[in-house]
């Protein structure tokens, strides 16, 4: 019933977005299969206890009550349910998994965020080597290049750098958290006040510059080389330098930045973190990192792991916008002219096929797309 109540242009936009989204999901799933990722699916409903150890971002959970009195939630995250599944089923490790599914989060009102998000993701469990990070970064680089036209920047960070840096100042956990919160939230006046008591410490010059410690790797590493950093953060710094060098060698066209003044995407990360965003903005297209202690919430032994989630809805928005912008020509043809239409399409990078039943329908479609109609049944038109 809804489609009959919507204007033609709106219905066409919904249809185009739905087709684009399904196409992107198919491409992502095919890519996962090609990379050797086993498909995995987890229940839509999970026990709230699965998410208790972590505050899941600036949103609330959708809660329901089960027949046994336990509180259930619509999953707000995919990584934790995958970890629970692996632990509960005693899956032999190491394993590579890939998934596509919806997550549900009650976002703040007027925040512009959706409460239901389609997410695709990678979980590499049982791999301690940096090769696991390299695999995730490779998949992110290849998929972003394949799915959208915009250049994507990958931002690298480290979940341990900030914690270990602040811990070298004071053993007071409350004060550590206050400094980190002010740093991550870019509350510079409060941050400046909190670090003032450490003026006499060798780390103070670095502390003053820390809120601005993001940008191109060569600039960040140069600044860090001149700082008197504690030994506890050196593994994080060395890891970042290794990853940047590897990316510059294997994907030289990829734009890279380093940010050591922002919080990790989730609290369960324990090492390298990364995010990807396009010049169009509107949020992160993907994010991930290493979380070697996650399985300890469900079993006695820890297992090394690296994962990544892709925002399929945001990718769809960008791909749909670009599809509209690049659909400069719409080709109308009869079924028996399919080969002719394909030949024309192969020569025109910004053309798409019209699947309308008749020429009148093709004209309406071309008008909605603001595209030139190419009529192979009777010659070219410039509607």
């Amino acid at each position: 019933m809804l489609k009959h109540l919507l204007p033609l242009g709106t219905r066409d936009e919904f249809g185009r977005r739905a087709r684009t989204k399904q196409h992107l999901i198919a491409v992502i799933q095919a890519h996962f299969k090609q990379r050797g990722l086993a498909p995995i699916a987890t229940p839509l409903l999970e026990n709230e206890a699965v998410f208790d150890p972590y505050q899941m971002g600036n949103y609330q959970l959708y809660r329901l009550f089960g027949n046994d009195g336990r509180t259930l939630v619509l999953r707000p995250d995919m990584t934790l349910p995958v970890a629970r599944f692996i632990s509960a089923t005693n899956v032999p490790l190491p394993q590579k998994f890939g998934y596509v599914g919806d997550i549900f989060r009650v976002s703040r009102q007027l925040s512009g965020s959706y409460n239901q998000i389609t997410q695709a993701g990678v979980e590499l469990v049982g791999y301690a080597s940096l090769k696991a990070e390299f695999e995730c970064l490779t998949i992110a680089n290849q998929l972003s290049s394949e799915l959208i036209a915009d250049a994507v920047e990958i931002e690298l960070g480290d979940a341990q750098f900030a914690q270990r840096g602040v811990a070298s100042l004071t053993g007071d956990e409350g004060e550590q958290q206050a400094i980190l919160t002010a740093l991550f939230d870019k509350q510079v006046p409060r941050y400046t006040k909190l670090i003032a008591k450490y003026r006499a410490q060798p780390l103070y010059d670095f502390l003053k510059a820390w809120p601005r410690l993001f940008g191109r790797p060569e600039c960040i590493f140069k600044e860090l080389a001149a700082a008197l950093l504690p030994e506890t953060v050196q593994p994080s710094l060395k890891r970042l330098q290794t990853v940047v060098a590897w990316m510059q060698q294997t994907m030289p066209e990829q734009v890279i930045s380093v940010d050591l003044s922002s919080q990790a995407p989730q609290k369960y990360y324990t090492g390298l973190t990364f995010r990807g965003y396009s010049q169009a903005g509107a949020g992160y297209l993907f994010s991930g990192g290493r979380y070697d202690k996650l399985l300890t919430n469900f079993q006695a032994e820890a297992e090394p792991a690296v994962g990544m989630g892709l925002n399929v809805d945001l990718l769809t928005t960008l791909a749909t916008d670009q599809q509209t912008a690049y659909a400069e020509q719409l080709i109308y043809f009869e079924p028996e002219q399919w080969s002719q239409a394909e030949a024309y399409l192969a020569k025109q990078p910004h053309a798409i096929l019209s699947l309308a039943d008749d020429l009148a329908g093709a004209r309406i479609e071309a008008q909605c797309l603001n595209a030139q109609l190419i009529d192979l049944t009777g010659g070219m038109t410039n509607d």
Side-chain angles (χ1 to χ4, degrees):
M1 291 294 292
L2 177 62
K3 68 178 182 179
H4 299 298
L5 301 177
L6 296 173
L8 177 62
T10 305
R11 298 205 309 262
D12 184 76
E13 179 64 24
F14 279 144
R16 180 165 58 248
R17 181 179 173 85
R19 291 191 297 271
T20 301
K21 184 173 182 178
Q22 290 306 311
H23 171 70
L24 294 188
I25 289 174
V27 171
I28 290 169
Q29 289 175 326
H31 195 88
F32 286 175
K33 182 177 180 181
Q34 189 270 332
R35 301 296 297 193
L37 307 182
I40 187 171
T42 64
L44 197 62
L45 289 173
E46 288 279 358
N47 289 320
E48 186 177 24
V50 171
F51 306 97
D52 278 346
Y54 302 97
Q55 295 177 2
M56 301 302 296
N58 296 320
Y59 50 83
Q60 297 178 346
L61 309 182
Y62 284 98
R63 292 179 171 86
L64 305 90
F65 290 103
N67 293 335
D68 56 1
R70 289 184 299 176
T71 303
L72 305 176
V73 297
L74 290 174
R75 63 188 181 207
D77 174 85
M78 292 292 288
T79 297
L80 287 161
V82 169
R84 178 202 54 75
F85 173 84
I86 292 171
S87 178
T89 55
N90 294 316
V91 174
L93 300 176
Q95 291 280 354
K96 305 175 184 177
F97 297 104
Y99 63 82
V100 177
D102 288 346
I103 58 176
F104 301 83
R105 301 169 174 178
V106 185
S107 301
R108 291 185 296 106
Q109 288 187 345
L110 306 179
S111 67
S113 300
Y114 291 106
N115 291 336
Q116 180 176 350
I117 305 166
T118 301
Q119 186 179 87
V122 175
E123 307 291 349
L124 309 177
V125 185
Y127 297 94
S129 167
L130 267 179
K131 289 181 180 180
E133 281 90 337
F134 295 164
E135 174 72 353
C136 272
L137 290 167
T138 297
I139 292 173
N141 170 264
Q142 292 177 347
L143 278 177
S144 58
S145 299
E146 187 173 358
L147 297 177
I148 62 173
D150 285 345
V152 173
E153 181 169 331
I154 295 181
E155 175 188 281
L156 302 175
D158 192 279
Q160 295 179 335
F161 184 91
Q163 281 77 8
R164 291 180 174 178
V166 171
S168 71
L169 293 174
T170 174
D172 186 328
E173 294 185 1
E175 189 163 348
Q176 290 177 20
Q177 190 56 52
I179 294 173
L180 289 173
T181 298
L183 173 68
F184 294 152
D185 293 344
K186 300 298 184 285
Q187 299 173 351
V188 177
R190 174 167 170 74
Y191 173 81
T192 302
K193 184 178 180 180
L194 287 168
I195 65 171
K197 65 166 62 177
Y198 304 105
R199 290 179 183 274
Q201 294 206 19
L203 194 61
Y204 186 67
D205 287 341
F206 167 78
L207 292 176
K208 291 189 296 181
W210 201 352
R212 300 181 299 278
L213 202 62
F214 55 88
R216 293 291 170 258
E218 54 273 16
C219 298
I220 300 302
F221 293 151
K222 182 178 180 181
E223 191 164 351
L224 290 172
L228 298 174
L229 297 175
E231 191 63 31
T232 53
V233 305
Q234 294 303 324
S236 296
L237 180 56
K238 183 178 180 181
R239 183 164 51 233
L240 277 170
Q241 292 171 328
T242 300
V243 172
V244 167
W246 175 84
M247 292 179 70
Q248 290 173 337
Q249 180 180 8
T250 58
M251 47 185 82
E253 301 301 319
Q254 176 63 62
V255 180
I256 309 169
S257 60
V258 171
D259 188 350
L260 292 174
S261 65
S262 295
Q263 192 170 16
Q266 294 288 3
K267 289 190 175 182
Y268 47 69
Y269 286 106
T270 60
L272 183 84
T273 63
F274 52 88
R275 297 179 172 101
Y277 55 93
S278 77
Q279 294 179 351
Y284 291 108
L285 299 172
F286 56 84
S287 65
R290 178 168 287 277
Y291 36 86
D292 285 347
K293 298 180 181 179
L294 191 64
L295 285 183
T296 56
N297 292 300
F298 312 103
Q299 63 185 39
E301 294 184 10
E303 289 287 352
V306 177
M308 170 182 67
L310 297 97
N311 189 329
V312 176
D313 292 304
L314 183 52
L315 286 166
T316 299
T317 297
L318 293 177
T320 303
D321 292 345
Q322 292 161 5
Q323 182 186 66
T324 301
Y326 284 98
E328 296 175 357
Q329 294 183 335
L330 184 70
I331 307 167
Y332 176 70
F333 58 99
E334 296 293 348
E336 57 269 19
Q337 295 178 294
W338 191 282
S339 296
Q340 182 183 351
E342 287 285 355
Y344 186 91
L345 182 65
K347 298 177 182 178
Q348 302 295 330
H350 298 158
I352 60 174
L353 298 180
S354 171
L355 305 182
D357 291 336
D358 52 36
L359 185 57
R363 285 197 176 104
I364 294 173
E365 188 179 6
Q367 186 177 8
C368 292
L369 293 172
N370 194 26
Q372 177 191 18
L373 179 63
I374 306 299
D375 180 11
L376 297 186
T377 68
M380 292 190 179
T381 65
N382 292 294
D383 294 350

